[in-house]
Amino acid sequence: MELDPKVKERLRSDKGASLIMSADEAAAMVKDGMVLGVSGFTASGYPKAVPHALAERGKRGEKFKVDVYSGASLGSEIDTEMTEAGILGKRMPYMTDKTFRKAVNTGACDYVDMHLSQSAQYVNYGVMPKIDMAIVEALAINEDGSIVPTTSVGNTPSFIRQADKVIVELNTLQPLSLEGMHDCIILDNPPNRKPINITKPNDRIGKPYMECGWDKIAGIVITDIQDGLRPLGAISEDSQKIADNIIEFLNGEVKAGRLTDTLLPIQSGVGSVANAVLYGLLESDFHDMTCFTEVVQDSMLELIKAGKVNCASTTAITPSPEMKEKFDKECELYKGKLVFRPEDISNNPELIRRLGVISMNTALECDIYGNVNSTHVNGSGMMNGIGGSGDFSRNAAITIFSTVSTAKHGDISSIVPFCSHIDHTEHDVMVIVTEQGFADLRGCTPKERAVKIIQNCAHPDYRDKLMDYFERACKESALQTPHLLDEAFSWHIKAMKTGSMK
């Protein structure tokens, strides 16, 4: 078989040519009841052609189901198409897709929501059912059968090790300049686990490829499909105010001598608020910054290009379509400045604590005592998974959660008497920020936290109502954290019945 030059420079052994097949042929190897471990993290670096072919099997009426383990959320070929085809059974550890979300909340699909740093550990410990087949996207396959990832690493090294067989999607669209940016390692299970020798975000401890071997590779599918990139929303007025408030807080830390103008390594979640915060840093006086995070978006790439950030450690990049086009052309600019790691390294509690990360994530709602709900609407309806926010918030030097103070055009307050679901307890939350201001909760008692959050973070439409609840709770109880239990969830109940908390 005469290989296309684009394929030949990526398929680096003659052994690979005989394994090339169509996506349909590869999908035919997947059987009912199998557990699939797929590459990908936030719709980046995931397989596209084989999952689409699997979905087509389901749409043609074939009855089968598979469980899917991943690094995080994935593109529409898996989370949307496979759900619509009725072939997706259990999914872990994170999701954001609206089709899959609906299936979870109606009971059509099962979902295990996990701290991302723990997900590979569950697989490597054998806690979860064993992976039958790994389906991974690759930049290249080396002579020895090792696999070079594309735009994410996620949990893929562990999935490859644990799987019986591996299907590789060799994506010729991804720039070869990505090679060398990856730092892949699999941690030993206790009691054999050793300290992770990273003391700076740009330290490297692994290999620029994932170990596999030709004996495991069952098929190779050649693709040229772009990641399922989504445009970033325009920075709203509220998002900009939140960004300004966070930067005001950070400036205050510098003035107090707790930070320098190079800050500490930054972690930021995904979305418009996170993007606005990092764009704010572009115009700030901070310099020579570093990043230790799980996802790099447009703003972080711009900070690197501008010389404001010296290095960024991540497990994936999730740029907008416009930024991805620029990135592909300028990929060489990021060599030595961008490093992709497995997520049990990028989200590792030991490293987050050692490096002293500044963690910035978003909340669905916060209560007056500092508890944060990141995942469930009205306590029961899954919105998005917890992702890596818990990994970082529980171990960071400074933990910041932000949210717009109201939702649904002002009908819902994001600051409530008591969160309807708690992902991050008051013990892990140091700073809460809304467009109204910020509340530094460090060293505060529950009652002191309540006053700060209500006065600085709640929307004026709800501020008096929250203070009334808090004052009446204090009158009825002298206990550590005063609550009126018969009223604690009354705001949520009213919203469920009327659509508004007002």
Side-chain angles (χ1 to χ4, degrees):
M1 174 189 285
E2 186 64 31
L3 297 179
D4 181 286
K6 283 185 177 181
V7 175
K8 197 168 184 178
E9 64 182 339
R10 298 166 186 261
L11 193 54
R12 296 163 180 171
S13 171
D14 293 338
K15 295 178 182 178
S18 64
L19 294 171
I20 294 175
M21 60 181 64
S22 70
D24 287 337
E25 290 171 323
M29 290 191 280
V30 176
K31 307 301 181 185
D32 181 39
M34 276 190 169
V35 175
L36 307 180
V38 302
S39 64
F41 193 101
T42 58
S44 178
Y46 65 97
K48 293 103 173 159
V50 176
H52 174 74
L54 284 171
E56 289 299 307
R57 281 175 55 188
K59 289 175 183 177
R60 289 193 296 268
E62 187 175 345
K63 300 298 183 184
F64 71 102
K65 277 187 181 289
V66 293
D67 293 346
V68 173
Y69 304 166
S70 68
S73 56
L74 299 167
S76 61
E77 293 88 345
I78 298 175
D79 285 346
T80 304
E81 291 185 34
M82 289 178 64
T83 301
E84 291 175 341
I87 65 169
L88 191 53
K90 182 179 286 186
R91 178 88 165 76
M92 59 84 84
Y94 180 73
M95 69 91 192
T96 60
D97 183 84
K98 64 180 181 180
T99 301
F100 183 69
R101 178 188 302 128
K102 182 178 179 181
V104 169
N105 286 325
T106 58
C109 289
D110 293 326
Y111 170 59
V112 180
D113 190 29
M114 295 182 65
H115 294 299
L116 296 187
S117 69
Q118 296 177 346
S119 52
Q121 182 169 287
Y122 270 40
V123 171
N124 291 330
Y125 283 16
V127 173
M128 306 292 290
K130 190 179 185 308
I131 295 172
D132 297 295
M133 187 170 289
I135 308 176
V136 306
E137 182 176 88
L139 188 71
I141 307 176
N142 292 322
E143 189 174 357
D144 62 356
S146 58
I147 297 171
V148 182
T150 58
T151 48
S152 71
V153 178
N155 285 326
T156 316
S158 292
F159 291 167
I160 291 172
R161 173 179 284 188
Q162 297 299 332
D164 294 328
K165 290 294 179 181
V166 178
I167 294 172
V168 182
E169 288 195 10
L170 191 63
N171 193 329
T172 61
L173 188 68
Q174 298 286 11
L176 271 173
S177 299
L178 281 166
E179 189 166 10
M181 294 187 186
H182 307 93
D183 188 42
C184 300
I185 187 173
I186 298 177
L187 299 177
D188 291 328
N189 289 343
N192 301 311
R193 183 167 295 171
K194 297 176 177 62
I196 302 169
N197 193 24
I198 292 176
T199 59
K200 302 185 299 298
N202 59 346
D203 284 344
R204 298 179 68 95
I205 57 172
K207 299 174 181 177
Y209 54 80
M210 303 177 291
E211 294 180 348
C212 182
W214 290 107
D215 58 325
K216 270 201 173 187
I217 299 176
I220 299 170
V221 179
I222 310 301
T223 72
D224 60 355
I225 308 170
Q226 185 59 272
D227 285 332
L229 306 173
R230 303 179 183 95
L232 284 166
I235 296 175
S236 67
E237 182 180 350
D238 284 339
S239 295
Q240 188 58 59
K241 287 179 180 177
I242 290 172
D244 293 343
N245 289 334
I246 290 177
I247 291 170
E248 180 184 345
F249 166 77
L250 294 174
N251 279 324
E253 291 297 286
V254 174
K255 289 178 182 176
R258 290 186 287 268
L259 292 176
T260 69
D261 53 11
T262 60
L263 299 180
L264 288 166
I266 297 164
Q267 178 265 333
S268 180
V270 296
S272 58
V273 172
N275 212 41
V277 171
L278 295 185
Y279 268 123
L281 292 175
L282 193 62
E283 304 300 324
S284 73
D285 293 329
F286 301 122
H287 62 92
D288 294 313
M289 292 177 284
T290 60
C291 176
F292 191 83
T293 191
E294 57 189 352
V295 177
V296 163
Q297 294 190 118
D298 289 22
S299 48
M300 181 57 69
L301 294 174
E302 294 282 16
L303 284 163
I304 294 172
K305 277 181 65 177
K308 299 281 279 188
V309 165
N310 294 336
C311 65
S313 171
T314 186
T315 196
I317 57 168
T318 309
S320 65
E322 297 79 15
M323 181 58 78
K324 181 58 163 63
E325 186 177 350
K326 292 179 184 177
F327 177 85
D328 287 353
K329 292 176 182 177
E330 303 171 341
C331 198
E332 288 286 348
L333 294 175
Y334 298 95
K335 283 282 181 74
K337 299 177 181 178
L338 193 60
V339 55
F340 296 85
R341 308 183 190 276
E343 66 194 68
D344 54 352
I345 298 294
S346 69
N347 292 45
N348 191 279
E350 175 190 346
L351 299 178
I352 295 164
R353 179 63 61 88
R354 178 183 301 137
L355 296 174
V357 170
I358 299 172
S359 169
M360 297 183 286
N361 291 285
T362 55
L364 281 179
E365 64 180 2
C366 310
D367 68 32
I368 59 175
Y369 295 114
N371 299 298
V372 168
N373 174 12
S374 292
T375 59
H376 286 74
V377 176
N378 289 325
S380 299
M382 171 59 68
M383 174 58 70
N384 295 320
I386 192 172
S389 57
D391 298 326
F392 285 92
S393 67
R394 292 180 179 182
N395 301 286
I398 301 175
T399 293
I400 301 171
F401 279 97
S402 62
T403 179
V404 178
S405 63
T406 61
K408 302 293 184 183
H409 308 291
D411 285 330
I412 304 296
S413 175
S414 302
I415 308 297
V416 293
F418 203 176
C419 282
S420 58
H421 175 91
I422 295 174
D423 295 290
H424 313 284
T425 74
E426 61 185 90
H427 310 292
D428 303 323
V429 180
M430 300 180 191
V431 184
I432 292 176
V433 185
T434 72
E435 82 285 0
Q436 301 295 323
F438 67 85
D440 183 354
L441 310 178
R442 294 173 296 179
C444 292
T445 67
K447 293 173 185 176
E448 290 169 338
R449 286 197 294 268
V451 173
K452 280 192 173 185
I453 292 169
I454 294 169
Q455 290 181 346
N456 297 325
C457 299
H459 192 277
D461 289 352
Y462 294 95
R463 201 171 288 156
D464 290 345
K465 191 176 177 183
L466 285 164
M467 189 58 73
D468 174 68
Y469 172 89
F470 172 65
E471 289 174 347
R472 287 187 294 110
C474 288
K475 287 179 181 177
E476 291 195 18
S477 169
L479 299 176
Q480 169 79 348
T481 307
H483 265 303
L484 303 172
L485 291 182
D486 57 343
E487 286 187 38
F489 298 122
S490 62
W491 292 35
H492 299 91
I493 294 167
K494 183 178 181 181
M496 291 171 70
K497 290 180 177 179
T498 70
S500 175
M501 289 180 175
K502 289 183 176 177

